[in-house]
Amino acid sequence: MFIPNLLSAESGSERVVKARIIVVEDEPDLREAVAEYLGASGYDVVTAENAVAARALFEAQSFHLAILDIAMPGEDGLSLGRWLRSKTQIGIIYATAAGTALDRIVGLELGADDYIVKPYELREVLARVRSVLRRVPQPAEPQAQKAETGNRRFMNFGGFQADFDGRLVIGANGAVIEMAKSEFDVLEVFLTRANRLLTRAAISEAIGFVEDPESSRAVDIRIMRLRKKIEADPANPKFLRTVRGEGYIFSLPSGDAK
């Protein structure tokens, strides 16, 4: 049975943190229906009718996941999501009207983790929420506490170092490479399966995407963004190479290790 809570260690025991979700939607009936359904599924859910109300809530408390309607009056969901992504690694699911493929592509390019197309079934919302939450870092667990255990997992590649537990990448100059959570998800898949051919379907499955016709495009967008951040020449990648008609392979030099 799926348990919609996040678990973290504290003094040798388990501390249960209920996943907190914010639903930002200007349609009152839909907003309340989603909140009620997710609440009945065991999540802690709050709602906001627009971006102004949502920003006030974000400043006052932390969330694990945000469901953002794109087409809202005033500030739209894409702008709100861009602001959120600049501040936190919160999971983001965009809700977009049917037929607006451009919004979905822009959302993915801005670092969204998934999207749902209106009109949608509440069961689909729950499935996508569960999928994203499996990949979301746990804000209730301080990173400093994890560092004290001495068991953090690292991997070097080229002049970079990936910190799997801290979910960040450090460059050769010691600076942290700004990276969306969804980008790090894909990078972790490649690093833990280095020098192996991975199809788009395999990558989608590894990062927990709900299978749909757009998942291949979503993977390609994340890989494009990754190349811009870790490749000296993204057009001629050294690490993340395309195998035409097959997928991708991450070339890890033999001297690099965890």
Side-chain angles (χ1 to χ4, degrees):
M1 177 182 293
F2 178 83
I3 301 175
N5 292 321
L6 303 179
L7 302 180
S8 60
E10 180 175 346
S11 301
S13 61
E14 283 190 333
R15 172 164 54 87
V16 179
V17 181
K18 201 171 187 181
R20 295 181 299 277
I21 301 172
I22 181 169
V23 179
V24 188
E25 167 63 60
D26 67 309
E27 297 180 33
D29 291 343
L30 179 58
R31 182 173 67 243
E32 295 308 317
V34 172
E36 181 178 351
Y37 191 82
L38 294 178
S41 299
Y43 298 105
D44 183 5
V45 185
V46 299
T47 64
E49 68 276 14
N50 55 41
V52 173
R55 282 177 180 258
L57 288 168
F58 286 126
E59 295 289 0
Q61 57 187 296
S62 63
F63 296 93
H64 298 88
L65 175 69
I67 301 175
L68 308 179
D69 181 28
I70 289 181
M72 293 188 295
E75 183 181 9
D76 64 24
L78 291 174
S79 174
L80 179 60
R82 185 186 301 110
W83 175 77
L84 267 178
R85 184 56 73 224
S86 71
K87 290 179 170 291
T88 178
Q89 290 188 329
I90 185 175
I92 296 177
I93 299 176
Y94 283 119
T96 179
T100 54
L102 180 60
D103 282 347
R104 296 198 294 274
I105 292 171
V106 171
L108 291 169
E109 290 176 340
L110 291 176
D113 298 284
D114 207 344
Y115 61 86
I116 46 179
V117 178
K118 293 181 176 181
Y120 49 73
E121 293 187 6
L122 294 177
R123 288 180 298 176
E124 179 189 2
V125 178
L126 180 60
R128 293 181 183 273
V129 163
R130 288 173 171 173
S131 175
V132 172
L133 283 175
R134 282 194 286 266
R135 315 192 302 271
V136 169
Q138 301 176 23
E141 182 178 6
Q143 295 295 340
Q145 179 184 11
K146 296 180 74 175
E148 291 172 2
T149 66
N151 294 321
R152 294 178 80 106
R153 299 173 302 130
F154 298 91
M155 179 177 284
N156 297 319
F157 60 102
F160 299 94
Q161 183 180 69
D163 177 352
F164 293 122
D165 295 313
R167 297 185 63 77
L168 54 85
V169 176
I170 302 170
N173 60 358
V176 174
I177 307 298
E178 293 296 330
M179 192 167 291
K181 183 187 71 62
S182 57
E183 296 165 12
F184 191 90
D185 288 339
V186 175
L187 178 62
E188 184 171 9
V189 169
F190 280 116
L191 288 176
T192 54
R193 298 163 178 79
N195 302 317
R196 290 166 49 186
L197 176 64
L198 298 178
T199 64
R200 291 176 177 83
I203 298 167
S204 296
E205 181 179 358
I207 62 178
F209 272 176
V210 176
E211 192 65 29
D212 59 46
E214 295 286 340
S215 29
S216 290
R217 174 61 176 162
V219 167
D220 290 340
I221 289 172
R222 283 159 171 78
I223 289 173
M224 177 185 66
R225 294 202 308 255
L226 265 179
R227 281 175 171 159
K228 290 179 179 179
K229 295 179 179 182
I230 66 173
E231 299 283 2
D233 181 3
N236 297 285
K238 178 179 71 172
F239 300 116
L240 224 171
R241 297 187 295 107
T242 301
V243 180
R244 188 176 299 276
E246 298 290 337
Y248 298 94
I249 186 168
F250 195 94
S251 298
L252 187 66
S254 58
D256 289 341
K258 291 183 181 180

